Amino acid sequence: MKDAPNYLLAIETSCDETAAAVMKEGKELLSNVVSSQIKIHSEYGGIVPELASRHHLEAIVPTVDEAVQRAGIDLSELDGIAVTQGPGLVGSLLVGLSFAKALAEALSTKLTGVNHIHAHLFSVFLGQERPDFPFLGLVVSGGHTSLYVVNNFFSVELIGQTRDDAAGEAFDKVAKILGLPYPGGPVISRLAEKGDAGAYSLPRAWLPQTPYDFSFSGLKTAVLTLVRRVEKEVGQIPVEDVCAAFQEAVVDVLVEKSTKAALEKGLKEIVVAGGVAANSRLRLKMASISQSRGLKAYFPPVKFCMDNAAMVALVGHRQLQAGMVLGPHADVYSRLFQPG
Ligand code: KG4
Ligand code: ZN
Protein backbone atom coordinates (compact mmCIF):
# COMPACT_ATOMS: atom_id res chain seq x y z
CA MET A 1 0.00 0.00 0.00
CA LYS A 2 1.23 3.47 -0.90
CA ASP A 3 1.75 5.70 2.14
CA ALA A 4 1.19 8.96 0.26
CA PRO A 5 -1.00 9.87 -2.66
CA ASN A 6 1.01 10.54 -5.76
CA TYR A 7 -1.57 12.52 -7.70
CA LEU A 8 -4.15 14.37 -5.67
CA LEU A 9 -7.18 16.19 -7.07
CA ALA A 10 -8.48 19.06 -4.93
CA ILE A 11 -11.85 20.76 -5.24
CA GLU A 12 -12.96 24.08 -3.69
CA THR A 13 -16.54 25.40 -3.88
CA SER A 14 -17.05 27.09 -0.50
CA CYS A 15 -18.00 30.53 -1.78
CA ASP A 16 -18.08 32.08 -5.24
CA GLU A 17 -15.20 30.34 -6.96
CA THR A 18 -15.35 26.86 -8.47
CA ALA A 19 -11.77 25.65 -8.32
CA ALA A 20 -9.84 22.45 -8.99
CA ALA A 21 -6.15 21.61 -8.81
CA VAL A 22 -3.92 18.60 -9.23
CA MET A 23 -0.86 18.27 -7.02
CA LYS A 24 1.95 15.71 -7.23
CA GLU A 25 3.62 14.37 -4.07
CA GLY A 26 2.03 17.12 -1.97
CA LYS A 27 4.26 19.85 -3.37
CA GLU A 28 4.35 20.02 -7.15
CA LEU A 29 1.33 21.91 -8.46
CA LEU A 30 0.46 20.42 -11.87
CA SER A 31 -2.66 22.50 -12.50
CA ASN A 32 -4.73 25.16 -10.76
CA VAL A 33 -8.02 26.16 -12.37
CA VAL A 34 -10.36 28.80 -10.94
CA SER A 35 -13.75 29.58 -12.44
CA SER A 36 -14.84 32.85 -10.88
CA GLN A 37 -18.44 33.98 -10.44
CA ILE A 38 -17.51 37.63 -9.88
CA LYS A 39 -19.40 38.76 -13.00
CA ILE A 40 -22.57 36.99 -11.83
CA HIS A 41 -22.54 38.49 -8.32
CA SER A 42 -21.19 41.96 -9.12
CA GLU A 43 -24.61 42.94 -10.47
CA TYR A 44 -25.97 42.48 -6.93
CA GLY A 45 -23.03 44.08 -5.09
CA GLY A 46 -22.34 40.87 -3.17
CA ILE A 47 -22.71 37.10 -3.23
CA VAL A 48 -26.18 35.64 -3.81
CA PRO A 49 -25.99 32.11 -2.30
CA GLU A 50 -28.66 30.60 -4.61
CA LEU A 51 -26.84 31.79 -7.72
CA ALA A 52 -23.52 30.60 -6.31
CA SER A 53 -24.73 26.99 -5.90
CA ARG A 54 -26.30 26.98 -9.34
CA HIS A 55 -23.07 28.21 -10.93
CA HIS A 56 -21.01 25.62 -9.03
CA LEU A 57 -23.28 22.92 -10.47
CA GLU A 58 -22.65 24.16 -13.99
CA ALA A 59 -18.93 24.76 -13.52
CA ILE A 60 -17.75 21.78 -11.49
CA VAL A 61 -17.43 19.20 -14.29
CA PRO A 62 -15.64 21.47 -16.80
CA THR A 63 -13.38 22.89 -14.04
CA VAL A 64 -12.29 19.46 -12.79
CA ASP A 65 -11.90 18.23 -16.38
CA GLU A 66 -9.64 21.15 -17.21
CA ALA A 67 -7.52 20.66 -14.07
CA VAL A 68 -6.99 16.97 -14.84
CA GLN A 69 -6.23 17.65 -18.50
CA ARG A 70 -3.77 20.45 -17.74
CA ALA A 71 -2.02 18.18 -15.26
CA GLY A 72 -1.50 15.74 -18.12
CA ILE A 73 -2.91 12.79 -16.24
CA ASP A 74 -5.92 10.52 -16.52
CA LEU A 75 -8.63 10.46 -13.84
CA SER A 76 -7.78 6.81 -13.21
CA GLU A 77 -4.27 7.84 -12.07
CA LEU A 78 -5.60 9.83 -9.11
CA ASP A 79 -4.54 8.47 -5.74
CA GLY A 80 -6.82 10.69 -3.69
CA ILE A 81 -9.29 13.56 -3.65
CA ALA A 82 -9.43 16.51 -1.24
CA VAL A 83 -12.48 18.71 -0.99
CA THR A 84 -13.39 21.79 1.04
CA GLN A 85 -15.87 20.58 3.66
CA GLY A 86 -16.46 23.91 5.46
CA PRO A 87 -16.87 26.63 6.53
CA GLY A 88 -18.72 28.42 3.76
CA LEU A 89 -22.09 28.60 2.03
CA VAL A 90 -23.87 25.30 2.64
CA GLY A 91 -25.37 25.04 -0.86
CA SER A 92 -22.01 25.77 -2.48
CA LEU A 93 -20.09 23.37 -0.24
CA LEU A 94 -22.63 20.62 -0.95
CA VAL A 95 -21.97 20.76 -4.69
CA GLY A 96 -18.24 20.19 -4.14
CA LEU A 97 -18.62 17.51 -1.48
CA SER A 98 -21.29 15.53 -3.36
CA PHE A 99 -19.25 15.64 -6.56
CA ALA A 100 -16.07 14.63 -4.74
CA LYS A 101 -17.80 11.75 -2.93
CA ALA A 102 -19.24 10.41 -6.18
CA LEU A 103 -15.92 10.68 -7.99
CA ALA A 104 -13.99 9.04 -5.14
CA GLU A 105 -16.50 6.20 -5.11
CA ALA A 106 -16.36 5.75 -8.88
CA LEU A 107 -12.54 5.73 -8.88
CA SER A 108 -12.28 3.68 -5.64
CA THR A 109 -9.96 6.31 -4.22
CA LYS A 110 -9.63 8.03 -0.85
CA LEU A 111 -11.41 11.27 0.02
CA THR A 112 -10.46 13.83 2.66
CA GLY A 113 -12.38 16.92 3.82
CA VAL A 114 -10.41 20.15 4.24
CA ASN A 115 -11.22 23.15 6.43
CA HIS A 116 -11.25 26.21 4.15
CA ILE A 117 -9.70 28.49 6.77
CA HIS A 118 -6.88 26.04 7.42
CA ALA A 119 -6.30 25.84 3.66
CA HIS A 120 -5.94 29.65 3.57
CA LEU A 121 -3.51 29.54 6.52
CA PHE A 122 -1.30 26.92 4.90
CA SER A 123 -1.42 28.49 1.41
CA VAL A 124 1.77 30.27 2.48
CA PHE A 125 3.57 26.96 1.85
CA LEU A 126 2.73 27.29 -1.86
CA GLY A 127 5.27 30.12 -2.01
CA GLN A 128 9.05 30.22 -1.83
CA GLU A 129 9.33 31.90 1.57
CA ARG A 130 7.93 29.58 4.22
CA PRO A 131 7.51 30.05 7.96
CA ASP A 132 8.51 27.67 10.73
CA PHE A 133 6.00 26.28 13.20
CA PRO A 134 4.61 27.51 15.50
CA PHE A 135 3.36 30.79 14.03
CA LEU A 136 0.64 33.36 14.55
CA GLY A 137 -1.93 33.10 11.74
CA LEU A 138 -4.22 35.89 10.59
CA VAL A 139 -6.94 34.89 8.13
CA VAL A 140 -8.57 37.89 6.46
CA SER A 141 -11.11 37.05 3.81
CA GLY A 142 -14.59 37.97 2.66
CA GLY A 143 -16.18 35.65 5.21
CA HIS A 144 -13.65 35.51 8.06
CA THR A 145 -11.26 37.56 10.12
CA SER A 146 -9.60 35.43 12.76
CA LEU A 147 -6.35 34.97 14.66
CA TYR A 148 -4.81 31.55 15.30
CA VAL A 149 -1.87 29.97 17.02
CA VAL A 150 -0.71 27.43 14.42
CA ASN A 151 1.36 24.66 15.99
CA ASN A 152 1.48 22.37 12.95
CA PHE A 153 -0.70 21.18 10.08
CA PHE A 154 -3.08 19.47 12.49
CA SER A 155 -3.07 21.83 15.45
CA VAL A 156 -4.68 25.18 14.75
CA GLU A 157 -5.96 27.08 17.78
CA LEU A 158 -8.48 29.92 17.33
CA ILE A 159 -7.65 32.84 19.67
CA GLY A 160 -9.84 35.63 18.29
CA GLN A 161 -12.27 36.53 15.54
CA THR A 162 -14.51 39.26 14.25
CA ARG A 163 -17.69 39.99 16.15
CA ASP A 164 -19.47 41.34 13.09
CA ASP A 165 -18.16 41.99 9.58
CA ALA A 166 -15.08 40.30 8.16
CA ALA A 167 -12.33 42.61 6.86
CA GLY A 168 -13.04 41.66 3.23
CA GLU A 169 -16.75 42.17 3.82
CA ALA A 170 -15.98 45.69 5.09
CA PHE A 171 -14.04 46.40 1.87
CA ASP A 172 -16.99 45.09 -0.17
CA LYS A 173 -19.59 47.10 1.78
CA VAL A 174 -17.56 50.34 1.67
CA ALA A 175 -17.14 49.84 -2.09
CA LYS A 176 -20.91 49.58 -2.38
CA ILE A 177 -21.35 52.81 -0.36
CA LEU A 178 -18.94 54.54 -2.76
CA GLY A 179 -20.67 53.09 -5.84
CA LEU A 180 -17.65 50.93 -6.70
CA PRO A 181 -17.90 47.40 -8.13
CA TYR A 182 -17.78 44.07 -6.25
CA PRO A 183 -15.40 42.76 -4.96
CA GLY A 184 -14.41 45.97 -3.23
CA GLY A 185 -10.92 45.02 -2.03
CA PRO A 186 -8.94 45.27 -5.27
CA VAL A 187 -10.64 48.49 -6.43
CA ILE A 188 -10.39 50.26 -3.06
CA SER A 189 -6.74 49.27 -2.82
CA ARG A 190 -6.06 50.71 -6.29
CA LEU A 191 -7.87 54.00 -5.59
CA ALA A 192 -6.29 54.32 -2.14
CA GLU A 193 -2.85 54.54 -3.74
CA LYS A 194 -3.81 57.96 -5.11
CA GLY A 195 -5.56 59.15 -1.93
CA ASP A 196 -4.49 60.77 1.32
CA ALA A 197 -5.03 58.40 4.25
CA GLY A 198 -4.82 61.35 6.65
CA ALA A 199 -7.62 63.28 4.94
CA TYR A 200 -10.22 61.85 7.33
CA SER A 201 -9.95 60.26 10.71
CA LEU A 202 -11.93 57.04 10.97
CA PRO A 203 -12.45 54.86 14.07
CA ARG A 204 -10.38 51.80 14.96
CA ALA A 205 -12.09 49.21 17.18
CA TRP A 206 -9.38 48.09 19.64
CA LEU A 207 -11.75 46.12 21.95
CA PRO A 208 -9.47 46.24 25.01
CA GLN A 209 -11.49 43.56 26.88
CA THR A 210 -10.97 41.03 24.07
CA PRO A 211 -7.92 42.37 22.21
CA TYR A 212 -7.67 39.43 19.76
CA ASP A 213 -11.20 40.03 18.49
CA PHE A 214 -12.13 42.38 15.66
CA SER A 215 -15.06 44.59 14.75
CA PHE A 216 -15.47 46.39 11.43
CA SER A 217 -19.14 47.31 11.35
CA GLY A 218 -18.59 50.61 13.22
CA LEU A 219 -15.95 51.60 10.68
CA LYS A 220 -18.31 50.81 7.80
CA THR A 221 -21.04 52.97 9.43
CA ALA A 222 -18.52 55.77 10.01
CA VAL A 223 -17.65 55.72 6.28
CA LEU A 224 -21.35 55.90 5.41
CA THR A 225 -21.88 58.89 7.75
CA LEU A 226 -18.76 60.61 6.40
CA VAL A 227 -19.78 60.09 2.79
CA ARG A 228 -23.28 61.46 3.41
CA ARG A 229 -21.90 64.52 5.23
CA VAL A 230 -19.23 65.32 2.64
CA GLU A 231 -21.68 64.80 -0.20
CA LYS A 232 -24.06 67.30 1.39
CA GLU A 233 -21.34 69.85 2.17
CA VAL A 234 -19.12 69.59 -0.91
CA GLY A 235 -21.41 67.98 -3.47
CA GLN A 236 -19.01 65.25 -4.49
CA ILE A 237 -17.09 62.55 -2.66
CA PRO A 238 -13.28 62.52 -2.73
CA VAL A 239 -13.37 58.77 -3.36
CA GLU A 240 -9.60 58.23 -3.36
CA ASP A 241 -9.14 59.92 0.04
CA VAL A 242 -12.05 57.98 1.57
CA CYS A 243 -10.59 54.71 0.20
CA ALA A 244 -7.15 55.54 1.62
CA ALA A 245 -8.50 56.55 5.05
CA PHE A 246 -10.72 53.46 5.26
CA GLN A 247 -7.96 51.07 4.14
CA GLU A 248 -5.54 52.59 6.65
CA ALA A 249 -8.04 52.06 9.49
CA VAL A 250 -8.46 48.37 8.59
CA VAL A 251 -4.74 47.82 8.10
CA ASP A 252 -3.82 49.53 11.40
CA VAL A 253 -6.11 47.25 13.39
CA LEU A 254 -4.98 44.07 11.61
CA VAL A 255 -1.28 44.91 12.04
CA GLU A 256 -1.52 46.08 15.64
CA LYS A 257 -3.59 43.15 16.87
CA SER A 258 -1.54 40.51 15.03
CA THR A 259 1.85 41.79 16.17
CA LYS A 260 0.59 42.20 19.74
CA ALA A 261 -0.83 38.67 19.75
CA ALA A 262 2.41 37.22 18.35
CA LEU A 263 4.49 38.97 21.03
CA GLU A 264 2.13 37.94 23.84
CA LYS A 265 2.04 34.32 22.66
CA GLY A 266 5.83 34.21 22.29
CA LEU A 267 5.65 33.64 18.53
CA LYS A 268 8.26 35.08 16.19
CA GLU A 269 6.49 34.62 12.86
CA ILE A 270 3.18 35.89 11.49
CA VAL A 271 1.35 34.45 8.49
CA VAL A 272 -1.32 36.58 6.81
CA ALA A 273 -3.67 34.73 4.45
CA GLY A 274 -7.04 35.03 2.69
CA GLY A 275 -8.28 37.42 0.00
CA VAL A 276 -7.41 40.60 1.95
CA ALA A 277 -3.79 39.35 2.26
CA ALA A 278 -3.49 40.41 -1.40
CA ASN A 279 -3.73 44.03 -0.21
CA SER A 280 -0.42 45.74 -0.86
CA ARG A 281 -0.77 48.30 1.96
CA LEU A 282 -1.42 45.49 4.45
CA ARG A 283 1.56 43.52 3.16
CA LEU A 284 3.84 46.55 3.40
CA LYS A 285 2.75 47.71 6.85
CA MET A 286 2.57 44.21 8.35
CA ALA A 287 6.11 43.50 7.10
CA SER A 288 7.61 46.76 8.38
CA ILE A 289 5.89 46.89 11.79
CA SER A 290 6.65 43.19 12.34
CA GLN A 291 10.31 43.80 11.57
CA SER A 292 10.45 46.78 13.92
CA ARG A 293 9.10 44.53 16.72
CA GLY A 294 11.52 41.66 16.07
CA LEU A 295 8.94 39.58 14.18
CA LYS A 296 8.80 38.32 10.60
CA ALA A 297 5.68 38.39 8.42
CA TYR A 298 4.93 35.88 5.66
CA PHE A 299 2.31 36.04 2.91
CA PRO A 300 1.16 33.52 0.31
CA PRO A 301 1.90 34.51 -3.30
CA VAL A 302 -0.87 36.95 -4.33
CA LYS A 303 -2.44 34.45 -6.78
CA PHE A 304 -3.03 32.02 -3.87
CA CYS A 305 -4.60 34.60 -1.53
CA MET A 306 -8.04 34.42 -3.12
CA ASP A 307 -9.99 31.16 -3.05
CA ASN A 308 -8.28 28.37 -4.97
CA ALA A 309 -7.93 24.58 -4.86
CA ALA A 310 -4.11 24.47 -4.72
CA MET A 311 -4.27 25.33 -1.01
CA VAL A 312 -6.85 22.57 -0.49
CA ALA A 313 -4.50 20.10 -2.19
CA LEU A 314 -1.61 21.12 0.04
CA VAL A 315 -3.57 20.41 3.23
CA GLY A 316 -5.44 17.43 1.75
CA HIS A 317 -2.20 15.63 0.91
CA ARG A 318 -1.03 15.85 4.51
CA GLN A 319 -4.41 14.75 5.84
CA LEU A 320 -4.44 11.66 3.62
CA GLN A 321 -0.88 10.88 4.69
CA ALA A 322 -2.16 10.99 8.27
CA GLY A 323 -5.05 8.67 7.38
CA MET A 324 -7.79 11.29 7.66
CA VAL A 325 -10.44 10.00 5.27
CA LEU A 326 -14.10 10.90 4.89
CA GLY A 327 -16.81 8.27 5.01
CA PRO A 328 -19.85 8.22 2.69
CA HIS A 329 -22.06 9.98 5.25
CA ALA A 330 -19.79 12.98 5.83
CA ASP A 331 -21.57 16.32 5.66
CA VAL A 332 -20.54 19.93 5.08
CA TYR A 333 -20.34 22.53 7.88
CA SER A 334 -21.09 26.22 7.50
CA ARG A 335 -19.43 27.80 10.55
CA LEU A 336 -15.89 28.03 11.91
CA PHE A 337 -14.96 24.51 12.93
CA GLN A 338 -12.10 23.13 14.93
CA PRO A 339 -11.34 19.47 14.15
CA GLY A 340 -11.04 17.50 17.37
O1 KG4 B 1 -10.43 34.50 0.49
P1 KG4 B 1 -11.40 35.06 -0.46
O2 KG4 B 1 -11.15 34.88 -1.93
O3 KG4 B 1 -12.84 34.49 -0.21
C1 KG4 B 1 -13.34 34.14 1.05
O4 KG4 B 1 -13.00 33.05 1.54
O5 KG4 B 1 -14.09 34.98 1.58
O6 KG4 B 1 -11.53 36.62 -0.11
C2 KG4 B 1 -12.35 37.50 -0.84
C3 KG4 B 1 -12.27 38.86 -0.18
C4 KG4 B 1 -13.25 39.88 -0.77
O7 KG4 B 1 -13.98 40.46 0.29
C5 KG4 B 1 -12.35 40.90 -1.45
O8 KG4 B 1 -12.88 42.21 -1.45
C6 KG4 B 1 -11.09 40.81 -0.61
O9 KG4 B 1 -10.96 39.43 -0.32
N1 KG4 B 1 -9.90 41.28 -1.35
C7 KG4 B 1 -9.15 42.33 -0.98
C8 KG4 B 1 -8.14 42.50 -1.97
N2 KG4 B 1 -8.30 41.51 -2.90
C9 KG4 B 1 -9.37 40.77 -2.50
N3 KG4 B 1 -9.26 43.17 0.07
C10 KG4 B 1 -8.38 44.18 0.17
N4 KG4 B 1 -7.40 44.40 -0.74
C11 KG4 B 1 -7.24 43.60 -1.82
N5 KG4 B 1 -6.26 43.83 -2.69
ZN1 ZN C 1 -11.59 31.94 1.26
Side-chain angles (χ1 to χ4, degrees), residues 38-314:
I38 283 178
K39 278 206 193 100
I40 297 169
H41 300 287
S42 59
E43 217 179 294
Y44 304 91
I47 297 165
V48 183
E50 261 303 304
L51 292 180
S53 335
R54 213 179 307 159
H55 184 270
H56 284 307
L57 268 177
E58 286 166 14
I60 189 121
V61 172
T63 305
V64 168
D65 256 353
E66 194 179 334
V68 171
Q69 266 180 33
R70 280 200 201 174
I73 62 160
D74 190 81
L75 270 181
S76 61
E77 292 177 75
L78 287 175
D79 301 284
I81 299 176
V83 64
T84 303
Q85 197 181 356
L89 301 170
V90 170
S92 295
L93 289 163
L94 266 173
V95 175
L97 181 63
S98 312
F99 180 87
K101 272 191 199 173
L103 189 61
E105 184 67 29
L107 299 173
S108 303
T109 194
K110 292 167 284 184
L111 175 67
T112 191
V114 172
N115 180 307
H116 181 76
I117 304 299
H118 295 187
H120 270 304
L121 273 174
F122 296 116
S123 63
V124 69
F125 292 99
L126 293 164
Q128 297 300 321
E129 250 207 309
R130 297 165 188 181
D132 289 319
F133 291 116
F135 59 75
L136 191 283
L138 168 68
V139 175
V140 265
S141 71
H144 300 275
T145 297
S146 350
L147 280 173
Y148 298 87
V149 172
V150 183
N151 298 306
N152 58 55
F153 277 100
F154 306 104
S155 168
V156 176
E157 200 187 316
L158 177 72
I159 59 166
Q161 59 182 310
T162 185
R163 294 178 178 180
D164 38 60
D165 293 348
E169 193 179 353
F171 271 91
D172 297 336
K173 286 180 174 171
V174 164
K176 204 169 176 178
I177 292 171
L178 294 170
L180 302 169
Y182 171 85
V187 60
I188 288 183
S189 159
R190 210 173 331 116
L191 291 169
E193 276 173 33
K194 290 179 243 150
D196 172 13
Y200 301 107
S201 105
L202 288 167
R204 280 110 168 112
W206 297 117
L207 313 176
Q209 302 300 317
T210 52
Y212 302 157
D213 283 345
F214 301 89
S215 168
F216 294 107
S217 71
L219 173 60
K220 171 197 65 195
T221 309
V223 172
L224 181 63
T225 312
L226 170 75
V227 165
R228 281 188 181 149
R229 180 174 59 78
V230 174
E231 216 168 15
K232 213 168 168 187
E233 286 170 7
V234 191
Q236 69 186 76
I237 314 161
V239 174
E240 291 163 354
D241 288 347
V242 175
C243 286
F246 160 75
Q247 176 176 268
E248 205 61 23
V250 175
V251 167
D252 275 352
V253 169
L254 295 176
V255 170
E256 194 55 39
K257 285 180 180 271
S258 306
T259 48
K260 189 170 188 288
L263 290 170
E264 287 175 1
K265 297 282 177 188
L267 301 166
K268 288 264 173 261
E269 305 191 345
I270 298 176
V271 169
V272 187
V276 183
N279 185 278
S280 43
R281 180 71 188 143
L282 174 61
R283 291 171 93 98
L284 195 78
K285 203 158 185 179
M286 187 70 84
S288 68
I289 302 282
S290 293
Q291 197 182 19
S292 72
R293 296 179 182 172
L295 306 165
K296 185 160 167 46
Y298 293 81
F299 307 87
V302 169
K303 66 173 174 177
F304 296 123
C305 286
M306 308 285 274
D307 288 349
N308 63 86
M311 64 187 191
V312 178
L314 191 118

